[in-house]
Amino acid sequence: MIVLCLLVLLQSALLGGFALRHLADSLEDQMAQRALQLASMIAQTPSIREAVAANDSEATQRVASELRDATDASFISIGNAQGIRLAHPLPDRIGKPMVGGDNDEVLKQGHTIISQAVGSMGPSIRGKAPVFNDVGEVVGVVSIGYLTQEIDDTVLTYQRVVFAVTLLLLVLSVLAASWIARRFRAAIFDLEPHQIAALFEERNATLESIREGIIAINAEGKITTCNRAAIETLGLEQRDVVNHPIREVVPDSRLPDLLESGEPEFDTEMVIGGRSLIINRIPIRVKGKLTGVVASFRIRDELTMVSRQLTRIRQYAETLRSQAHEYANKLHTIAGLIQLDKSDEALELIGQETRDHQAMLRWLVDSVDDPVVSGCLLGKFNRAHELGLQLVIDPDSHLGPLPANITPERLVTLIGNLIDNALDATLSAKGRSVFLSMTDIGQDLIFEVEDQGPGISEEDMPRVFDRGFSRKAEGRGIGLHLVKEGVSQLGGEIVVENLSAGGARFTLYLPRESVG
């Protein structure tokens, strides 16, 4: 309201000031032209010419008085060739020199002029014309003037009108601003602009943090809200779908149907884009009027994904059980050899089984200080052995005490996921080995994991760390995403590249000192 009032006041002041200034200039110009015309006309009057040529003050004063009564001029002053007054509104000034200092150009050069000067009657705008005799000689001057006080009085009259109109506009603007403010605040639920901005940011953050997809449309069927989860769940190629018709973006959403029925739907199962979804649809009403529809949905297959993960865990348990049986069989074999007094053969069998593990254990004791990391590497070594693969660790690798900002658990997550991914890739390509090297020399901890898999295509390279991206099977694509997130939290970097001999190399850089 204050802003509107100040705006009206400023506009009125600027326009009023310009109008009054233009009016004053126009009045001055008009009066100057009128004074000049009257002076030229009176200077050509025969009676004035004769009286001035004869230097007859009485006749000149009488004719000038008659002309002054017939015109609206403030004064008519007539002087002779020497600038001595022959006629003047104040009789006591007759016979005295004309004042103002603007008669020389008229008397000496015979020009008509317009001047503004302070005369015996005060500041005035004057028009001056020469009086010629019958032979064309300048014998006098006629000065017609309008007092500037009259112009000021006229401008003051208009100024009062401008002030009155401005005051009226100000009162009307206050009333209009008050009415607009009440209507506007009622429309925005009595919220201030900064509160609306805060709610808008909070609403965007909330939508992006929700794992369920959210889509809202207005009464025209155009999308007004769509969060990232909705775009990813529906597999929309176009990321910016706001203001697009819902029928074009998601033809089988059935959201426009609720604009007609107005009935909410909860936990409805639908197949959209080839995916089975559980959808909730709720109409949006403002003051009882249906203004849109909002839908939230989630993938029904999430339960299936959890089930598959449990299945893989069960398969892993079965693998461990079969391994236990295998070791039990070998133990029985060793026991039988001992009973048969075949101790050499028993020792040879034991040596074959323990040689690699012993070498691995000795290297871990000498090269890796943290026991949690050592346990992880030993577990991955055994896992590779179960899969028929080899986890080859660079014998020159070394990992001393971990920095304070890197916990063993977090490092185990990063290394474990990289090795698991390399084992899966190598196994799928029927490779034989996965290579690991690590060093803590310098300002960073550096880990390199190489596989003998099929490598990563140029098309997939930008998406290799995206959550859910995988070329192996549905429900995969989590490990590398977790690695990327963990590295970002530690302020590190991960680089992936294809090897010339086949496979891929993942290089992990973790700074010793915490970043930020």
Side-chain angles (χ1 to χ4, degrees):
M1 184 168 63
I2 293 175
V3 170
L4 289 177
C5 293
L6 291 176
L7 181 61
V8 171
L9 187 61
L10 178 62
Q11 289 177 337
S12 301
L14 292 176
L15 293 176
F18 173 77
L20 292 174
R21 183 69 264 172
H22 181 69
L23 176 63
D25 293 341
S26 298
L27 287 175
E28 289 181 1
D29 185 62
Q30 292 177 9
M31 288 184 175
Q33 294 298 327
R34 186 182 301 178
L36 185 61
Q37 291 175 0
L38 286 174
S40 299
M41 182 185 67
I42 292 174
Q44 296 176 14
T45 303
S47 57
I48 292 294
R49 293 177 63 187
E50 293 174 0
V52 173
N55 207 24
D56 187 350
S57 176
E58 183 178 352
T60 304
Q61 175 71 359
R62 183 179 64 256
V63 176
S65 298
E66 294 174 355
L67 291 172
R68 185 171 62 251
D69 294 338
T71 63
D72 60 349
S74 299
F75 64 85
I76 298 177
S77 179
I78 302 175
N80 59 17
Q82 288 76 37
I84 304 299
R85 296 189 184 98
L86 299 176
H88 196 273
L90 302 176
D92 61 334
R93 307 289 174 88
I94 296 175
K96 296 180 180 180
M98 302 176 74
V99 298
D102 51 359
N103 287 330
D104 291 345
E105 186 177 354
V106 179
L107 294 173
K108 294 180 180 181
Q109 302 179 19
H111 296 165
T112 58
I113 65 169
I114 295 174
S115 68
Q116 187 170 358
V118 179
S120 60
M121 297 183 68
S124 61
I125 297 175
R126 299 184 282 191
K128 292 180 177 286
V131 179
F132 296 96
N133 60 12
D134 294 338
V135 296
E137 297 176 344
V138 177
V139 294
V141 58
V142 176
S143 178
I144 306 295
Y146 291 93
L147 297 177
T148 56
Q149 182 63 39
E150 296 179 2
I151 299 176
D152 295 338
D153 293 341
T154 302
V155 173
L156 182 61
T157 301
Y158 283 102
Q159 192 174 28
R160 293 193 184 98
V161 175
V162 171
F163 285 157
V165 172
T166 301
L167 182 61
L168 178 61
L169 289 175
L170 188 60
V171 172
L172 292 177
S173 67
V174 170
L175 296 176
S178 179
W179 179 79
I180 292 173
R182 287 196 303 270
R183 292 292 301 272
F184 187 74
R185 287 177 66 88
I188 60 176
F189 302 100
D190 205 33
L191 295 173
E192 295 293 340
H194 68 275
Q195 294 174 319
I196 296 175
L199 287 175
F200 180 76
E201 294 296 334
E202 181 180 340
R203 168 252 195 194
N204 287 342
T206 302
L207 287 177
E208 294 304 323
S209 65
I210 295 175
R211 293 187 60 187
E212 289 192 348
I214 303 290
I215 288 184
I217 63 173
N218 58 18
E220 299 175 356
K222 293 185 177 180
I223 298 175
T224 57
T225 300
C226 183
N227 66 350
R228 187 182 308 170
I231 294 175
E232 294 177 354
T233 301
L234 298 176
L236 301 179
E237 296 181 358
Q238 183 178 358
R239 294 285 171 171
D240 185 12
V241 297
V242 176
N243 293 327
H244 287 72
I246 186 67
R247 295 187 186 275
E248 295 180 3
V249 179
V250 189
D252 48 356
S253 68
R254 287 176 49 194
L255 286 181
D257 297 343
L258 264 73
L259 292 175
E260 300 177 1
S261 65
E263 297 296 330
E265 298 179 359
F266 299 99
D267 296 329
T268 303
E269 182 176 352
M270 284 187 61
V271 177
I272 298 179
R275 296 188 177 187
S276 179
L277 305 178
I278 302 297
I279 302 179
N280 295 310
R281 301 184 190 86
I282 301 175
I284 303 172
R285 299 183 186 273
V286 178
K287 296 182 179 180
K289 183 180 179 182
L290 186 62
T291 59
V293 177
V294 61
S296 65
F297 48 89
R298 62 186 182 276
I299 300 177
R300 179 181 175 84
D301 296 339
E302 286 181 351
L303 294 175
T304 305
M305 292 169 58
V306 174
S307 176
R308 290 176 179 174
Q309 291 175 358
L310 291 175
T311 301
R312 284 195 293 270
I313 293 174
R314 189 179 298 111
Q315 291 174 349
Y316 183 65
E318 292 295 336
T319 302
L320 292 178
R321 188 178 296 111
S322 63
Q323 183 182 13
H325 283 297
E326 181 181 356
Y327 275 102
N329 292 331
K330 291 180 179 179
L331 286 175
H332 293 159
T333 303
I334 294 172
L337 290 173
I338 293 174
Q339 291 175 359
L340 295 174
D341 199 19
K342 301 292 185 179
S343 57
D344 293 337
E345 288 79 357
L347 291 174
E348 179 66 23
L349 180 60
I350 294 173
Q352 289 177 357
E353 293 296 324
T354 61
R355 189 177 299 113
D356 293 340
H357 288 80
Q358 290 299 325
M360 181 66 179
L361 289 173
R362 283 194 300 271
W363 181 88
L364 289 174
V365 171
D366 295 337
S367 302
V368 181
D369 287 4
D370 190 90
V372 177
V373 178
S374 296
C376 173
L377 295 178
L378 183 60
K380 298 305 178 185
F381 180 85
N382 294 331
R383 174 62 177 165
H385 185 69
E386 294 167 12
L387 296 175
L389 303 176
Q390 284 186 328
L391 175 59
V392 181
I393 302 179
D394 186 351
D396 294 329
S397 296
H398 183 270
L399 186 63
L402 296 180
N405 63 304
I406 302 178
T407 62
E409 292 76 14
R410 176 169 290 186
L411 185 59
V412 162
T413 300
L414 301 180
I415 300 176
N417 280 312
L418 285 179
I419 294 176
D420 286 341
N421 183 76
L423 291 174
D424 290 343
T426 302
L427 192 63
S428 65
K430 298 182 180 180
R432 297 296 304 166
S433 302
V434 171
F435 301 91
L436 169 66
S437 67
M438 51 190 177
T439 180
D440 56 359
I441 300 176
Q443 298 299 319
D444 297 331
L445 304 184
I446 303 175
F447 301 87
E448 287 187 355
V449 179
E450 298 180 4
D451 61 56
Q452 292 182 342
I456 303 172
S457 66
E458 294 296 330
E459 177 185 358
D460 294 338
M461 190 69 73
R463 300 185 297 159
V464 69
F465 295 108
D466 291 350
R467 183 181 181 88
F469 175 77
S470 176
R471 293 297 187 187
K472 290 174 286 189
E474 187 177 356
R476 305 295 295 273
I478 303 299
L480 290 180
H481 175 73
L482 294 177
V483 172
K484 181 65 174 179
E485 284 191 344
V487 171
S488 299
Q489 293 172 1
L490 293 174
E493 182 182 4
I494 183 169
V495 179
V496 58
E497 57 185 333
N498 287 318
L499 302 173
S500 58
R505 176 192 294 125
F506 290 81
T507 306
L508 188 63
Y509 300 90
L510 299 179
R512 286 181 173 273
E513 297 182 0
S514 178
V515 178

